[in-house]
Amino acid sequence: MAPALEPSHGHAAKAVLELRVRNHPGTMSHITGLFARRAFNLEAIACAPVGDGATSAMLLLVANEPRLEQVVRQLERLYDVLSVRPRSDLTPEFFTRWIHDGGER
């Protein structure tokens, strides 16, 4: 079931999604390809391996519009996507801070 998507911290036009995915070649292509086929822009992506490296955590900045719920349901059907959840605690500024900090946290 797709998670409820709500505006995050007054940024009604943007949403941040957290994906847990299998970490192997082609996973990023499958995910970005889904967005491309739906003509749904990915505004920012941050991705890093977690744990033993078999999985990765991925943060996506996307437009928070009605079509997003359908895209989330389609993401959940991809073999390499283990989970999808909205991150209302993260704002779009998370990505700009990360870039300006050189990716260091």
Side-chain angles (χ1 to χ4, degrees):
M1 173 182 239
L5 297 169
E6 297 178 13
S8 59
H9 298 285
H11 297 278
K14 308 289 182 213
V16 177
L17 301 175
E18 179 180 345
L19 281 62
R20 290 293 172 147
V21 299
R22 290 183 170 85
N23 183 14
H24 64 85
T27 298
M28 183 72 76
S29 175
H30 294 149
I31 293 166
T32 57
L34 185 148
F35 279 86
R37 287 188 302 278
R38 302 315 181 262
F40 204 104
N41 190 35
L42 283 169
E43 298 189 24
I45 301 171
C47 184
V50 294
D52 65 359
T55 62
S56 292
M58 185 180 296
L59 295 172
L60 306 176
L61 178 63
V62 295
N64 192 359
E65 60 178 76
R67 293 184 310 139
L68 181 56
E69 289 192 21
Q70 180 182 11
V71 171
V72 167
R73 286 192 299 272
Q74 292 168 335
L75 281 170
E76 291 172 330
R77 286 190 220 132
L78 293 177
Y79 172 76
D80 289 324
V81 175
L82 304 172
S83 66
V84 180
R85 70 179 180 122
R87 289 291 306 263
S88 60
D89 58 317
L90 296 178
T91 65
E93 287 74 24
F94 166 82
F95 292 92
T96 53
R97 280 194 319 265
W98 186 73
I99 293 295
H100 291 289
D101 293 344
E104 296 178 19
R105 299 260 69 215

